[in-house]
Each structure stands twice: as C-alpha cells, then as structure tokens.
Amino acid sequence: MRRITALFAALVIALLMLPSATATAADGPAVQVSESEAGTGSSVVVTGTGWQPKVLLMMLICGRAEPSRGVIGGTNSCANADARAVTTDTTGHFSKSLPVVDPPVPCPCVVHVTSVTGASQAVADAVFKVAGHPVEPLPKQVGSGRLSVLTDPRLDGSSGVLTWFGAPPARTLAITVGNLGTAAVKDPVFEIGTAHGVFAPQWEEQQWRGTIQPGAKARVEVPVELASGAHGDYTVSLKYGGKVLVEQPWGVGRPWGVTLFWALAAIVVPAAVFRVGMAVVDRVRPRGPGGQQSAGRPGRASRKPELTLRMPRLGARADRDRPRPAPAASSALPWFTPDADPGTTTTITVTVTDPETDPEAGTGTGAGTDIGGAGAGAPRTDTTKTKGNT
C-alpha cells in the first residue's frame, strides 16, 4: 500500500512540474546563477536551459543593466577580460563556473550570456549583485529603437501538391535586422503586406518574439500567406514604425489542378446527365401488349404486329382490276401441275345428245361432242377416261 501511495505521489509531482518545464523551454533561452550575491575573487555557477544544441556561448558580468532593458552601453559595460566561453550539449543545456569581478560601470549588474555561433543570435540575463561594488540608478530611457535591414530578404518555403489544387500559397520572409537606436526593441510588431500587380498592398500585423538590444542584430522570420487559388506576380513588403523596410517580388504559379478538375467536370457531368436522362426515358416510355420486354435487348418493350388503317391511294381501282399473277407452283413438287400430281385420279364424263332429239345440238352450243369421229347417226355412248401413273 505504501508503494502504491509513493508512486502516486511521484506521478502527481511529475505532472505538476511538466507544464512549468514546458513553459520555460517555450519562452526561450534562460540562465540561472547559483548565488544571487558574491564578492570579487569568488565564483558562481551559471546554468542555462532552452538554448540551441551544440552552440558556443559567452558569459560576462555586466553593470548598468537589467533583464528588462538589457545592457545599457553594450559590451563596454561588461568585464570582457574575465569572460568565459561554454558550449551547450545536445539538449541545449550548459553549466559553467564564472569568476566574480567588478564591472567597469556601477551596478545594478547582471550575468549576461549571449550566443556566438548558431542560426540566430540569442541573449539571456540573470540578476546578480557584486558585493562591495557601487550601485547607481539606471538612466532614464531616452530615444527609441531603430531597426534597419542588414541583409537581402529571402522567401523560404515551397509549394506542395495541395497548392497545385488551389491551397493557399505560403512562404516565410526572412531578413536580418540591426538595432541602430539607443533603446532595446522588445517583441517588435511588423506589418506584412501583399500586393498583386498594380493594386495597393493589404497589410497584416505580425509580432516577432524577442529583444534586440542597441547595436545588436537579429534574424527575423515572418510568415506570409496568400488567398486560396492565388496566382500571378505578387510583391511582399515588410513595414516597421510606419517605414517600409523591404520589398520582395513573389511569382506564384497557376493552380493547374483546379483547371484540370473543371475540364474533367465539363466532360463527365454532361455525360452523366445524358445517361440518367436516357435511363429515365427508357423507364417511363410505354410498353408493348402485355408489358413484356424484348429478349434481345433488356429493358426494351417488344414490338408486335398490329392492325394498321391505311388511306386509299390514287389509282387503287386500276390496280384492283389488273389481273393478278398466277400463284407459283408447289414448292414441294414443282415439276407437276396441281391437277396432275402423282397418285391422283381424274374422271371425265362426256354426254352425247342426238341432234334429232335435241334441237340445240346442231348449233354447237350444247354440251354434246363428237367422239372418235362418229357421224350423226352413230350410236352415242358415255365414255369414262382414267389417268394415272403407269
């Protein structure tokens, strides 16, 4: 039970300390002194956190300085001969012993730590009192900081795939500025402007976190972002204190992915609408008798022959009086006539009438016929002839 309680207490303490450590690292580099006051001839241990890894630092004791105002007069107010150099580790920490000496100017004093190498200059101060050294109030702050550009501006960054499809283009404007004034500049607020073509720039405020001491320089990086789908020639401007410091041209490429999308939409959408329309027409059009569909093409109504009322044409009576052609012979036996098909028997009956008894016989209009060349007085008989296959 005690073990569980101890583990729980240790976990709570660690969670309470975690936000503090995170805030210290997020605030930037910091230094601490093992003793807040010491006399000359002794030494103090200076510990630093939040610095860049593997950079060279310089530690000095300076007078006429405060952490909020920095070192007034620059390095002329520090004991430069007794400075110490130290290199940070991979985590940005360091710890080094520093001898205590009298600065050339009265206190208040600080332990001043500044970076010598690294991507950007960093400075941190810790309050320290030199025992027995005279103390005088700091002079009133007169004048103001004045920033000037020391290097050419540069737009860092590149466009990705999303920018090709209309995402907002973004860059980082990087410049190196120096403080030519007599006062420190802390957390300066810059105005970043973007102008397209001949139009006036649109300004937006961007605050840079840091302090630039008089006579010091710092590298300032300000983000720049355009609207979605922006393309063409732009001009990026940086203004401070009502004065334009730099102007940098920026050529933004056209988002061809958007053009390709609309081209495909112009082809696909009409085709899809046409297919839907054809499907609707095929579904709502009337079916044939019985509502059955054709077996050849699914979804098609079968067409069956229906009675059609036709209007009479000119000359139809003449066509009706014209003799019709004889029907073709039987397709089964084309070499026989219908009355002489094999296997059929035909019986012909002839009746001969005596012209003496039938007055119409002599006129030739009767049905009597002279058979075998017999005369008028020859006997008349009925003859039956049979035709068939032999």
Side-chain angles (χ1 to χ4, degrees):
M1 186 67 179
R2 291 181 178 178
R3 273 173 127 186
I4 297 176
T5 305
L7 289 174
F8 181 78
L11 181 60
V12 171
I13 293 173
L15 291 176
L16 290 176
M17 293 180 64
L18 183 60
S20 178
T22 305
T24 303
D27 292 339
V31 294
Q32 295 179 353
V33 184
S34 60
E35 298 180 12
S36 61
E37 183 179 355
T40 57
S42 62
S43 63
V44 293
V45 177
V46 181
T47 304
T49 57
W51 297 82
Q52 297 180 16
K54 297 297 181 179
V55 296
L56 180 63
L57 306 178
M58 187 67 66
M59 301 185 303
L60 309 96
I61 295 180
C62 302
R64 197 179 293 172
E66 280 184 354
S68 59
R69 295 182 60 180
V71 179
I72 300 176
T75 56
N76 293 332
S77 302
C78 303
N80 298 317
D82 296 294
R84 293 292 184 269
V86 63
T87 303
T88 60
D89 58 12
T90 56
T91 60
H93 292 71
F94 72 90
S95 180
K96 182 78 172 181
S97 177
L98 177 68
V100 179
V101 295
D102 290 328
V105 293
C107 287
C109 300
V110 296
V111 174
H112 182 72
V113 182
T114 180
S115 61
V116 179
T117 61
S120 60
Q121 186 179 19
V123 178
D125 298 325
V127 177
F128 181 71
K129 183 178 181 180
V130 179
H133 193 71
V135 178
E136 294 181 1
L138 295 177
K140 293 182 179 180
Q141 185 173 356
V142 292
S144 59
R146 185 165 59 92
L147 298 181
S148 177
V149 178
L150 303 180
T151 59
D152 294 334
R154 187 175 70 249
L155 287 173
D156 297 334
S158 60
S159 301
V161 178
L162 296 180
T163 306
W164 200 67
F165 283 94
R171 295 290 189 275
T172 300
L173 180 63
I175 58 173
T176 301
V177 296
N179 187 0
L180 304 182
T182 58
V185 178
K186 184 177 181 180
D187 299 336
V189 178
F190 296 96
E191 293 183 65
I192 190 77
T194 55
H196 181 48
V198 296
F199 296 97
Q202 298 180 355
W203 299 97
E204 180 182 358
E205 292 186 351
Q206 295 284 350
Q207 187 175 19
W208 181 78
R209 297 290 181 178
T211 302
I212 307 175
Q213 301 296 336
K217 63 180 180 179
R219 183 175 180 81
V220 177
E221 295 181 353
V222 182
V224 183
E225 184 174 334
L226 301 179
S228 300
H231 62 277
D233 296 330
Y234 284 81
T235 301
V236 180
S237 305
L238 185 68
K239 185 194 306 184
Y240 176 75
K243 179 182 178 181
V244 178
L245 299 180
V246 295
E247 289 184 349
Q248 178 69 18
W250 182 11
V252 184
R254 180 182 295 272
W256 292 107
V258 178
T259 306
L260 178 61
F261 171 79
W262 287 115
L264 293 177
I267 298 175
V268 174
V269 172
V273 172
F274 175 77
R275 293 295 299 273
V276 171
M278 293 300 297
V280 171
V281 170
D282 188 49
R283 182 173 292 273
V284 301
R285 72 176 182 176
R287 299 286 193 269
Q292 297 180 356
Q293 296 181 348
S294 174
R297 298 184 64 180
R300 301 281 185 176
S302 60
R303 296 179 178 270
K304 294 185 177 181
E306 299 178 356
L307 296 177
T308 304
L309 180 62
R310 296 184 178 180
M311 297 296 293
R313 296 180 302 173
L314 296 176
R317 184 179 183 86
D319 293 343
R320 188 169 58 251
D321 295 341
R322 186 179 302 168
R324 302 293 180 181
S330 175
S331 59
L333 299 174
W335 53 86
F336 292 103
T337 58
D339 57 347
D341 288 343
T344 60
T345 303
T346 304
T347 303
I348 302 175
T349 303
V350 179
T351 303
V352 180
T353 306
D354 189 358
E356 296 179 357
T357 58
D358 189 355
E360 296 180 359
T363 62
T365 60
T369 306
D370 187 7
I371 304 299
R380 274 72 172 174
T381 58
D382 293 335
T383 306
T384 301
K385 295 182 180 180
T386 302
K387 293 176 63 178
N389 291 335
T390 58

